[in-house]
Amino acid sequence: MENVLELKVVKEFIDACHQSWLKGWNERNGGNMSYRLKPEEAAALLPLLQPKSEWKSIGLSLPNIAGEYFIVTGSGKYYKNILREPENNLCIVKLDDKGENYQILWGLDNGGVPTSELPTHLLNHSIKKEKTNGRYRVIMHAHPANTVALTFLLPLEDKAFTHAIWEMITECPIVFPAGIGVVPWMVCGSTDIALATGEKIRQFDAVIWAHHGIFCCGEDLDSTFGLMDTIEKAAEIRIKVMSCGGAIHAITKEQIMALCGPFKVDIDGTMLDD
Ligand code: 13P
Ligand code: ZN
């Protein structure tokens, strides 16, 4: 391999960013994405990587992802440009052997730094790596309009959002059986919002930031993108139903729980309790 851009997962990452842009989830520089490289992917890239920055603090100590490599979007970089100029808008970073500092090893050729939400991304990676025995590798953050709109219309509570979104599409509880977490409005880009999100991400694969956007986590780019797509589609249906005067039918709790057996999922029925 002669170029980082030849690696399959790098191509997939760029494609996921562009699909997200096409969905309208990433106005201007809105949103950010990260992928924790597999050891064999990092090994394949290693000859093409070299230090491009000083070591910088991530503001957290994350020993279980120490020494790992991540593909990350750049801060302030426009999603619409990622497909055309990935080397100017993305970077690859490595964490030090304590999991406290990062260094840029590729990308951001025009200058720049990784996303301002790096603390939230890395803390989520750390927690999900532990909780899934290393399976989860992707964190996506974006600003999908209907999901954000619902944060002005529903109580900012996990159960209220889970119920309101689950019951809009029968497949929702199958796709995210734990439900959705909600973080109240906080200053973005901060360690505080990273810690608040980290608390929720232990339980959920999707966490909504009030009046801002959503974070989704998953095993690979397709499933994480699919999770965000499913939630945003259900939020859109919810908004349409609310705009038309509200629902006159609903899927009952019993109907939702009846999905567990046939689809072999452990839907958390307590999310439907008042
Ligand atoms: P960055 O451009 O720093 O990634 O920030 C975008 C964003 O969505 C902040 O929440
Ligand atoms: Zn954002």
Side-chain angles (χ1 to χ4, degrees):
M1 190 166 37
E2 288 179 7
N3 191 318
V4 166
L5 299 173
E6 291 170 37
L7 190 75
K8 186 163 176 275
V9 76
V10 175
K11 289 182 189 161
E12 289 170 354
F13 188 94
I14 293 165
D15 182 60
C17 290
H18 194 63
Q19 298 298 331
S20 188
W21 157 250
L22 294 177
K23 282 279 186 187
W25 299 341
N26 304 91
E27 78 293 339
R28 201 174 182 276
N29 64 308
N32 24 75
M33 206 183 297
S34 63
Y35 173 81
R36 187 169 60 83
L37 285 159
K38 294 178 180 169
E40 62 272 24
E41 291 165 339
L45 291 181
L46 218 49
L48 302 168
L49 306 180
Q50 55 195 15
K52 293 186 77 174
S53 76
E54 300 297 315
W55 287 100
K56 289 186 191 148
S57 169
I58 56 177
L60 295 162
S61 182
L62 306 168
N64 77 324
I65 53 169
E68 295 216 48
Y69 294 79
F70 298 83
I71 314 174
V72 188
T73 51
S75 184
K77 305 294 182 182
Y78 287 30
Y79 260 64
K80 80 178 176 61
N81 297 335
I82 292 175
L83 179 63
R84 212 167 8 91
E85 295 178 25
E87 66 284 354
N88 289 330
N89 296 290
L90 305 179
C91 60
I92 293 177
V93 301
K94 181 187 181 178
L95 299 198
D96 67 4
D97 56 10
K98 288 193 174 135
E100 294 179 357
N101 299 285
Y102 74 87
Q103 185 175 46
I104 301 171
L105 297 177
W106 175 88
L108 296 175
D109 285 355
N110 284 349
V113 292
T115 173
S116 56
E117 307 296 359
L118 195 64
T120 300
H121 278 256
L122 294 177
L123 181 59
N124 286 347
H125 277 296
S126 165
I127 291 167
K128 285 301 188 187
K129 182 182 177 186
E130 179 200 319
K131 293 226 124 206
T132 68
N133 264 332
R135 262 190 317 116
Y136 274 31
R137 295 190 171 274
V138 181
I139 311 289
M140 275 181 72
H141 166 60
H143 303 164
N146 295 287
T147 303
V148 176
L150 278 185
T151 69
F152 294 92
L153 299 167
L154 297 177
L156 298 173
E157 295 160 6
D158 304 342
K159 284 185 180 179
F161 265 79
T162 300
H163 197 163
I165 290 184
W166 266 0
E167 68 175 359
M168 287 299 105
I169 305 178
T170 294
E171 303 225 340
C172 280
I174 302 167
V175 176
F176 45 104
I180 302 176
V182 182
V183 167
W185 188 92
M186 295 176 75
V187 175
C188 53
S190 63
T191 309
D192 284 351
I193 203 168
L195 293 172
T197 310
E199 281 307 308
K200 300 282 179 180
I201 222 73
R202 290 181 187 282
Q203 184 178 352
F204 306 107
D205 282 349
V207 173
I208 291 173
W209 282 2
H211 322 322
H212 183 140
I214 184 166
F215 268 84
C216 290
C217 310
E219 199 167 334
D220 54 35
L221 289 155
D222 272 355
S223 60
T224 312
F225 189 95
L227 174 59
M228 190 173 288
D229 203 8
T230 306
I231 292 171
E232 172 60 2
K233 175 82 172 281
E236 181 181 354
I237 296 171
R238 184 94 223 173
I239 297 280
K240 286 184 199 289
V241 171
M242 289 170 108
S243 308
C244 295
I248 60 164
H249 312 289
I251 308 176
T252 65
K253 177 175 179 182
E254 289 67 34
Q255 287 171 324
I256 289 177
M257 296 314 288
L259 298 164
C260 290
F263 290 94
K264 298 185 177 48
V265 284
D266 193 11
I267 297 168
D268 183 354
T270 65
M271 297 302 290
L272 298 170
D273 296 340
D274 293 331

